[in-house]
Amino acid sequence: MPGLARPLQSYIHDARLLPIAEKVQRGERLTFEDGLLLYETPDLTGVGAMAHHVRLAKHGLKTYFVQNRRLSYTNICYTHCQFCAFQAKPGDPRAYVLSAEDIVGELAKPENAGVKELHMVAGHYPKLKIEYFEDLFRRIKERFPDLHLKVFTMVEMGYYAKVSGLSVEAFLDRCVAAGLESCPGGGAEIFDAEIRAEICVGKKDAQVWLDNAELCHAKGVPTNCTMLYGHIEQAKHKVDHLLRLRDLQDRSLAKGKAHFLAYIPLAYQNENNELSRTHVIHETTGVADLREIAVARLLLDNIPHIKAYWVMIGEGLAQIGLNYGANDLDGTIIEEEIAHDAGASTPQMLSKAQLVRIIREAGFEALERDNLYQTYDSEPVTA
Ligand code: V47
């Protein structure tokens, strides 16, 4: 690797994977049972080689990154997710709410020079209504017209529409008119109802996330999608989750307006949350993290980009993930709370130069992108 010098089959040790390799070579869609086997087999090299084969066919050696900034307007959350260490209840000394002035002031700081995408998700706080978001988006766009606004998980969108007394569609229309351009993929967790009842009991059922994503797409707003893995879920729950994303993507692509741009597997961070006090859950391992990237590349045949999210799995493993199906390292991030509050030991940010070096050292071509995967230079960027 990076390229495959030998026939795909020669990388496979578990003979049960050979029929899957044939389907992959024919470009045939994989089934639920195939997905279970991809999770069950100890042959990570074989799964990785198949994912790399697909990655090379779709993207060659192209590997994307974005100069982005993560920010949360509040950590106050009235919803209760057992896996979340970020949430604070009103009165908690950690609780904060940022005003539009605070956020514009933060974005004007020198460390944000070069940032092209603002990725905002936050708690569910009923005092923030549509007027807050309209004002916030307008002020940001006034001061930074070229900054792409990627805001709201699908659950957040439903929540803030409800507390604003609006339908999700009306809320979305007003946010788009004020400057919202796309939505991140968070908040999906695991769609299976029994697992949700243990890890995010307060969160609406999975259909809300899926319906709101479908609505965004129908309205021309691209979104991303995620899955939280490495807690109490089993392979069957993950395959179910991925296939529900794939089905939705089929429908959105058929409508032709907007669709999922990228999928990001989110490795569960196991500290400072309720789940860590009630369950013994170990950190995810390198094998598990690479397998999530590879399985996603194989099952999600209609989602163009798979991210290796270095914040949650580490820069080194994300780099190796480029050989296991990933073609995007997300970005510079600059400040991250959700994973770090829950124990992530990765840095707060990576510079553009670091991202380029990580990608090139692995033998791939580094391309700085905007949120819609348009690249800034026709030539690969320099550090
Ligand atoms: O919405 C919360 C999850 C998400 C934990 O769309 C946790 O480009 C692990 O969605 N351990 C935020 N995960 C991150 C996210 C994301 C990241 C990178 C790129 C994009 C994108 C989206 O993290 C939350 C929630 O689903 N989360 N707590 C935890 N303890």
Side-chain angles (χ1 to χ4, degrees), residues 15-32:
R16 294 175 303 161
L17 293 178
L18 290 172
I20 299 185
E22 276 170 31
K23 285 190 189 177
V24 167
Q25 281 177 315
R26 290 197 297 266
E28 214 174 284
R29 185 157 267 196
L30 302 186
T31 64
F32 188 91

Side-chain angles (χ1 to χ4, degrees), residues 67-137:
Q67 293 199 69
N68 63 353
R69 158 83 208 215
R70 261 249 340 120
L71 203 145
S72 296
Y73 25 86
T74 182
N75 63 351
I76 303 180
C77 194
Y78 278 48
T79 303
H80 185 68
C81 294
Q82 287 82 340
F83 59 79
C84 180
F86 170 68
Q87 62 186 307
K89 299 300 168 214
D92 183 326
R94 287 175 53 247
Y96 71 81
V97 183
L98 299 180
S99 66
E101 291 79 40
D102 294 333
I103 293 175
V104 170
E106 185 60 39
L107 294 173
K109 289 185 179 166
E111 65 262 31
N112 295 311
V115 165
K116 313 280 196 313
E117 171 197 282
L118 178 62
H119 172 173
M120 291 199 288
V121 290
H124 299 169
Y125 182 40
K127 290 201 174 154
L128 302 183
K129 303 204 194 309
I130 183 67
E131 292 77 16
Y132 168 87
F133 293 107
E134 284 178 321
D135 177 55
L136 173 61
F137 297 163

Side-chain angles (χ1 to χ4, degrees), residues 83-84 119 150 153 184-189 224 226 228 264 266-269 273 307 309 312 330 338 342:
F83 59 79
C84 180
H119 172 173
K150 178 171 98 173
T153 71
E189 324 317 354
N224 289 338
T226 59
L228 179 66
I264 310 102
L266 300 175
Y268 171 61
Q269 311 294 305
N273 55 24
K307 292 188 190 181
Y309 189 40
M312 290 186 184
D330 197 65
I338 296 173

Side-chain angles (χ1 to χ4, degrees), residues 154-173:
M154 293 301 102
V155 182
E156 248 188 303
M157 184 178 286
Y159 180 83
Y160 284 117
K162 187 164 178 224
V163 297
S164 302
L166 294 170
S167 67
V168 181
E169 188 174 358
F171 181 84
L172 179 60
D173 284 344

